[in-house]
Short mmCIF file of all heavy atoms in Angstrom, two decimals:
data_model
loop_
_atom_site.label_atom_id
_atom_site.label_comp_id
_atom_site.label_asym_id
_atom_site.label_seq_id
_atom_site.Cartn_x
_atom_site.Cartn_y
_atom_site.Cartn_z
N PHE A 628 68.51 21.06 -57.69
CA PHE A 628 68.30 21.67 -56.38
C PHE A 628 67.46 22.94 -56.48
O PHE A 628 66.95 23.45 -55.48
CB PHE A 628 69.66 21.97 -55.73
CG PHE A 628 69.57 22.31 -54.27
CD1 PHE A 628 69.34 21.33 -53.33
CD2 PHE A 628 69.71 23.62 -53.83
CE1 PHE A 628 69.24 21.63 -51.99
CE2 PHE A 628 69.62 23.93 -52.49
CZ PHE A 628 69.39 22.93 -51.57
N VAL A 629 67.31 23.45 -57.70
CA VAL A 629 66.56 24.69 -57.88
C VAL A 629 65.10 24.53 -57.43
O VAL A 629 64.45 25.50 -57.05
CB VAL A 629 66.64 25.14 -59.35
CG1 VAL A 629 65.83 24.21 -60.26
CG2 VAL A 629 66.16 26.57 -59.52
N ARG A 630 64.58 23.31 -57.44
CA ARG A 630 63.19 23.11 -57.00
C ARG A 630 63.03 23.44 -55.52
O ARG A 630 62.04 24.03 -55.12
CB ARG A 630 62.76 21.68 -57.29
CG ARG A 630 62.59 21.38 -58.77
CD ARG A 630 62.34 19.92 -59.04
NE ARG A 630 61.14 19.45 -58.37
CZ ARG A 630 60.74 18.18 -58.40
NH1 ARG A 630 61.45 17.28 -59.06
NH2 ARG A 630 59.65 17.81 -57.77
N ARG A 631 64.02 23.08 -54.73
CA ARG A 631 63.94 23.43 -53.30
C ARG A 631 64.08 24.94 -53.12
O ARG A 631 63.44 25.54 -52.25
CB ARG A 631 65.04 22.70 -52.52
CG ARG A 631 64.77 21.21 -52.36
CD ARG A 631 65.73 20.58 -51.38
NE ARG A 631 65.65 21.19 -50.06
CZ ARG A 631 66.47 20.90 -49.06
NH1 ARG A 631 67.43 19.99 -49.24
NH2 ARG A 631 66.34 21.49 -47.88
N ILE A 632 64.93 25.56 -53.92
CA ILE A 632 65.10 27.01 -53.82
C ILE A 632 63.80 27.71 -54.23
O ILE A 632 63.36 28.67 -53.58
CB ILE A 632 66.28 27.47 -54.70
CG1 ILE A 632 67.59 26.91 -54.12
CG2 ILE A 632 66.35 28.98 -54.78
CD1 ILE A 632 68.82 27.25 -54.94
N THR A 633 63.16 27.24 -55.32
CA THR A 633 61.89 27.83 -55.74
C THR A 633 60.84 27.70 -54.63
O THR A 633 60.09 28.65 -54.37
CB THR A 633 61.38 27.15 -57.02
OG1 THR A 633 62.37 27.29 -58.05
CG2 THR A 633 60.07 27.77 -57.48
N GLY A 634 60.80 26.54 -53.99
CA GLY A 634 59.85 26.37 -52.89
C GLY A 634 60.10 27.37 -51.77
O GLY A 634 59.16 27.93 -51.21
N TRP A 635 61.37 27.63 -51.47
CA TRP A 635 61.69 28.60 -50.40
C TRP A 635 61.25 30.01 -50.80
O TRP A 635 60.68 30.75 -50.00
CB TRP A 635 63.19 28.57 -50.13
CG TRP A 635 63.62 29.47 -49.01
CD1 TRP A 635 63.67 29.18 -47.69
CD2 TRP A 635 64.06 30.84 -49.14
NE1 TRP A 635 64.11 30.27 -46.97
CE2 TRP A 635 64.35 31.31 -47.83
CE3 TRP A 635 64.22 31.71 -50.21
CZ2 TRP A 635 64.81 32.60 -47.59
CZ3 TRP A 635 64.68 33.00 -49.97
CH2 TRP A 635 64.97 33.44 -48.68
N VAL A 636 61.52 30.38 -52.06
CA VAL A 636 61.15 31.72 -52.53
C VAL A 636 59.63 31.90 -52.50
O VAL A 636 59.12 32.94 -52.09
CB VAL A 636 61.72 31.98 -53.95
CG1 VAL A 636 61.21 33.31 -54.50
CG2 VAL A 636 63.23 31.98 -53.91
N LEU A 637 58.90 30.87 -52.94
CA LEU A 637 57.43 30.97 -52.93
C LEU A 637 56.90 31.12 -51.50
O LEU A 637 55.97 31.90 -51.25
CB LEU A 637 56.83 29.74 -53.60
CG LEU A 637 56.94 29.70 -55.12
CD1 LEU A 637 56.56 28.32 -55.65
CD2 LEU A 637 56.06 30.77 -55.76
N GLU A 638 57.47 30.38 -50.57
CA GLU A 638 57.03 30.51 -49.17
C GLU A 638 57.32 31.91 -48.64
O GLU A 638 56.49 32.51 -47.94
CB GLU A 638 57.73 29.46 -48.29
CG GLU A 638 57.16 28.06 -48.41
CD GLU A 638 55.78 27.96 -47.81
OE1 GLU A 638 55.41 28.81 -46.98
OE2 GLU A 638 55.05 27.01 -48.17
N GLU A 639 58.50 32.46 -48.96
CA GLU A 639 58.83 33.80 -48.51
C GLU A 639 57.90 34.83 -49.14
O GLU A 639 57.45 35.77 -48.48
CB GLU A 639 60.29 34.12 -48.86
CG GLU A 639 61.31 33.41 -48.00
CD GLU A 639 61.22 33.87 -46.55
OE1 GLU A 639 61.45 35.07 -46.27
OE2 GLU A 639 60.91 33.02 -45.69
N ALA A 640 57.60 34.66 -50.44
CA ALA A 640 56.70 35.59 -51.11
C ALA A 640 55.32 35.56 -50.46
O ALA A 640 54.71 36.61 -50.21
CB ALA A 640 56.59 35.24 -52.59
N ALA A 641 54.83 34.36 -50.16
CA ALA A 641 53.51 34.25 -49.51
C ALA A 641 53.54 34.85 -48.11
O ALA A 641 52.59 35.48 -47.66
CB ALA A 641 53.10 32.78 -49.46
N ARG A 642 54.65 34.66 -47.41
CA ARG A 642 54.76 35.18 -46.04
C ARG A 642 54.78 36.70 -46.02
O ARG A 642 54.27 37.33 -45.11
CB ARG A 642 56.02 34.61 -45.39
CG ARG A 642 56.13 34.87 -43.91
CD ARG A 642 57.26 34.07 -43.31
NE ARG A 642 58.55 34.46 -43.83
CZ ARG A 642 59.30 35.46 -43.34
NH1 ARG A 642 58.84 36.16 -42.32
NH2 ARG A 642 60.47 35.75 -43.85
N HIS A 643 55.38 37.34 -47.05
CA HIS A 643 55.50 38.80 -47.08
C HIS A 643 54.33 39.46 -47.79
O HIS A 643 54.21 40.70 -47.75
CB HIS A 643 56.80 39.21 -47.79
CG HIS A 643 58.03 39.01 -46.96
ND1 HIS A 643 58.74 37.82 -46.97
CD2 HIS A 643 58.68 39.83 -46.09
CE1 HIS A 643 59.77 37.93 -46.15
NE2 HIS A 643 59.77 39.12 -45.60
N TRP A 644 53.47 38.69 -48.46
CA TRP A 644 52.48 39.30 -49.35
C TRP A 644 51.56 40.28 -48.62
O TRP A 644 51.35 41.40 -49.07
CB TRP A 644 51.65 38.21 -50.03
CG TRP A 644 50.73 38.75 -51.08
CD1 TRP A 644 51.02 38.97 -52.39
CD2 TRP A 644 49.38 39.16 -50.89
NE1 TRP A 644 49.93 39.50 -53.04
CE2 TRP A 644 48.90 39.63 -52.15
CE3 TRP A 644 48.53 39.21 -49.81
CZ2 TRP A 644 47.61 40.11 -52.32
CZ3 TRP A 644 47.23 39.68 -49.99
CH2 TRP A 644 46.80 40.12 -51.23
N HIS A 645 51.00 39.87 -47.51
CA HIS A 645 50.04 40.74 -46.81
C HIS A 645 50.71 42.03 -46.34
O HIS A 645 50.08 43.09 -46.34
CB HIS A 645 49.44 40.00 -45.62
CG HIS A 645 48.50 38.90 -46.02
ND1 HIS A 645 47.21 39.14 -46.47
CD2 HIS A 645 48.67 37.56 -46.07
CE1 HIS A 645 46.62 37.99 -46.76
NE2 HIS A 645 47.49 37.01 -46.53
N GLY A 646 51.99 41.95 -45.96
CA GLY A 646 52.68 43.15 -45.51
C GLY A 646 53.00 44.13 -46.62
O GLY A 646 53.31 45.31 -46.34
N LEU A 647 52.93 43.70 -47.87
CA LEU A 647 53.24 44.59 -49.01
C LEU A 647 52.03 45.40 -49.46
O LEU A 647 52.19 46.36 -50.23
CB LEU A 647 53.78 43.78 -50.19
CG LEU A 647 55.06 42.98 -49.96
CD1 LEU A 647 55.47 42.28 -51.23
CD2 LEU A 647 56.19 43.88 -49.48
N GLN A 648 50.84 44.99 -49.03
CA GLN A 648 49.65 45.67 -49.50
C GLN A 648 49.52 47.03 -48.82
O GLN A 648 49.69 47.14 -47.60
CB GLN A 648 48.40 44.83 -49.24
CG GLN A 648 48.49 43.42 -49.79
CD GLN A 648 48.92 43.37 -51.24
OE1 GLN A 648 48.35 44.06 -52.09
NE2 GLN A 648 49.96 42.60 -51.53
N PRO A 649 49.26 48.10 -49.57
CA PRO A 649 49.20 49.45 -48.98
C PRO A 649 48.02 49.58 -48.02
O PRO A 649 46.94 49.05 -48.26
CB PRO A 649 49.03 50.36 -50.20
CG PRO A 649 48.45 49.49 -51.26
CD PRO A 649 49.02 48.11 -51.02
N ALA A 650 48.26 50.27 -46.92
CA ALA A 650 47.20 50.50 -45.94
C ALA A 650 46.15 51.45 -46.51
O ALA A 650 46.48 52.40 -47.22
CB ALA A 650 47.78 51.07 -44.64
N GLY A 651 44.91 51.17 -46.21
CA GLY A 651 43.84 52.06 -46.67
C GLY A 651 43.49 51.93 -48.14
O GLY A 651 42.89 52.82 -48.72
N ALA A 652 43.91 50.81 -48.77
CA ALA A 652 43.58 50.62 -50.18
C ALA A 652 42.07 50.46 -50.34
O ALA A 652 41.40 49.83 -49.52
CB ALA A 652 44.30 49.40 -50.73
N ALA A 653 41.53 51.03 -51.39
CA ALA A 653 40.09 50.97 -51.63
C ALA A 653 39.66 49.54 -51.94
O ALA A 653 40.43 48.75 -52.49
CB ALA A 653 39.71 51.90 -52.79
N ASP A 654 38.42 49.23 -51.56
CA ASP A 654 37.88 47.91 -51.87
C ASP A 654 37.83 47.72 -53.38
O ASP A 654 37.41 48.59 -54.13
CB ASP A 654 36.47 47.74 -51.29
CG ASP A 654 36.51 47.73 -49.76
OD1 ASP A 654 37.58 47.44 -49.21
OD2 ASP A 654 35.46 48.01 -49.16
N GLY A 655 38.25 46.55 -53.81
CA GLY A 655 38.26 46.26 -55.24
C GLY A 655 39.52 46.70 -55.95
O GLY A 655 39.69 46.40 -57.14
N ALA A 656 40.42 47.42 -55.27
CA ALA A 656 41.68 47.85 -55.89
C ALA A 656 42.55 46.62 -56.12
O ALA A 656 42.61 45.72 -55.28
CB ALA A 656 42.39 48.85 -54.99
N PRO A 657 43.25 46.54 -57.27
CA PRO A 657 44.10 45.37 -57.52
C PRO A 657 45.22 45.30 -56.50
O PRO A 657 45.77 46.32 -56.09
CB PRO A 657 44.63 45.63 -58.94
CG PRO A 657 44.49 47.09 -59.15
CD PRO A 657 43.30 47.52 -58.35
N PRO A 658 45.58 44.10 -56.06
CA PRO A 658 46.64 43.98 -55.05
C PRO A 658 48.01 44.21 -55.66
O PRO A 658 48.20 44.13 -56.88
CB PRO A 658 46.49 42.53 -54.58
CG PRO A 658 45.92 41.81 -55.76
CD PRO A 658 45.01 42.80 -56.45
N VAL A 659 48.98 44.50 -54.79
CA VAL A 659 50.38 44.56 -55.22
C VAL A 659 50.85 43.11 -55.34
O VAL A 659 50.98 42.40 -54.33
CB VAL A 659 51.25 45.33 -54.21
CG1 VAL A 659 52.70 45.27 -54.62
CG2 VAL A 659 50.78 46.77 -54.11
#
Side-chain angles (χ1 to χ4, degrees):
F628 193 74
V629 70
R630 290 173 59 184
R631 288 190 59 186
I632 294 177
T633 302
W635 183 88
V636 174
L637 285 169
E638 283 291 340
E639 286 295 298
R642 190 169 64 86
H643 285 89
W644 187 87
H645 290 284
L647 300 182
Q648 306 310 309
D654 293 339
V659 175

